[in-house]
Amino acid sequence: MGLVAEFDIDCQALPLAGVAADVPEATLTLDMQFNHGNRPLFLVTVQDGSQTAIEDAFTDAYDVGEWTLVGQAGETRRYQIFPALSLAEQLGESLDDLEGLEALATADAIIERIDVVPGGWRQTGWFANRDAFGTFSSFWQRNAGFRLHRLTRDGESEPPGGGLTDRQHEALRIAYERGYFDIPRRASLEDVAGELDISASSVSERLRRAQTRLIEETVATTWPPLPD
């Protein structure tokens, strides 16, 4: 039976880690398309954070070549980025085993999500078996830093809220503690925003995303299908 793992890779040389460090209030989710030679195309979803600060960070980043804002919906923005360096060029001075890194691309694993965080990446992935996960984790333990947050067998349920980001957890906790969900409410969006030091619109979107995720995890999968 396969495994599902969530873990941090602590390596400041990973693509866009510098951007996440420059704008820590933003959430960056990275998809890579490997059909562009030795420089995979980056598709980056950015939530929260100042648009100007993010785009200035892209412009100043040593590992970003050209970037384009593809679309925007509320506080969510989608960017296409052509990297300035190949992965070998970017990681060569930080990793001793570049051949091992290339071998990970053929491992029996699917990386489902990459969140770029200050200092590295947080990844969620599916692994065919414990050996496949061991190959992956031991590589990063040898070459950078590796912190495991969750490891379950596929098909096992995870605790409700396991799919929330750290910022969504924080927003829900503060909103709950301040009485935003009380009837009548004891706190406004502005109160929660002040606590988080972000805009009220950013708080609203973050709470909606968190609530949607909780509904998907705890309720939506048990609903009967709608009639045709």
Side-chain angles (χ1 to χ4, degrees):
M1 181 177 290
L3 300 171
V4 180
E6 181 182 353
F7 49 87
D8 284 350
I9 299 173
D10 297 322
C11 179
Q12 295 181 354
L14 284 168
L16 303 182
V19 173
D22 288 342
V23 194
E25 65 274 17
T27 299
L28 286 76
T29 304
L30 172 64
D31 291 316
M32 295 191 291
Q33 295 186 345
F34 286 94
N35 56 344
H36 293 266
N38 63 353
R39 298 188 184 185
L41 181 68
F42 296 161
L43 303 177
V44 183
T45 301
V46 180
Q47 298 173 356
D48 307 320
S50 161
Q51 180 173 350
T52 299
I54 282 289
E55 294 178 354
D56 286 347
F58 285 154
T59 299
D60 295 339
Y62 75 96
D63 52 354
V64 172
E66 298 179 359
W67 60 265
T68 303
L69 175 61
V70 176
Q72 181 170 356
E75 296 292 323
T76 300
R77 297 176 295 279
R78 293 273 289 173
Y79 294 90
Q80 178 176 275
I81 294 176
F82 292 95
L85 305 169
S86 68
L87 289 178
E89 292 170 335
Q90 178 143 2
L91 299 174
E93 294 185 3
S94 299
L95 302 183
D96 296 329
D97 185 9
L98 285 177
E99 291 184 359
L101 178 64
E102 293 175 357
L104 291 185
T106 61
D108 295 328
I110 298 174
I111 300 302
E112 186 174 54
R113 180 183 175 98
I114 301 173
D115 290 319
V116 185
V117 297
W121 287 354
R122 173 169 291 186
Q123 295 189 340
T124 302
W126 295 68
F127 298 85
N129 49 49
R130 190 167 290 275
D131 286 343
F133 175 71
T135 298
F136 197 93
S137 59
S138 62
F139 171 85
W140 287 110
Q141 288 169 355
R142 293 192 311 270
N143 289 276
F146 182 89
R147 288 180 293 160
L148 180 64
H149 293 283
R150 175 171 62 94
L151 182 63
T152 59
R153 295 190 181 278
D154 57 8
E156 290 182 357
S157 60
E158 62 181 275
L164 298 180
T165 67
D166 291 343
R167 291 186 176 91
Q168 289 168 350
H169 271 291
E170 181 184 33
L172 280 176
R173 178 181 60 79
I174 290 176
Y176 177 78
E177 291 175 350
R178 298 297 179 269
Y180 176 76
F181 297 113
D182 289 357
I183 301 174
R185 282 181 174 164
R186 295 187 294 108
S188 65
L189 275 176
E190 288 73 17
D191 295 329
V192 179
E195 186 82 12
L196 293 169
D197 196 25
I198 59 177
S199 68
S201 62
S202 293
V203 171
S204 177
E205 180 163 348
R206 195 173 295 182
L207 289 175
R208 289 199 307 272
R209 289 183 179 277
Q211 290 169 313
T212 298
R213 181 64 177 174
L214 286 174
I215 290 170
E216 290 173 346
E217 291 181 357
T218 60
V219 178
T221 57
T222 66
W223 288 347
L226 292 174
D228 294 333

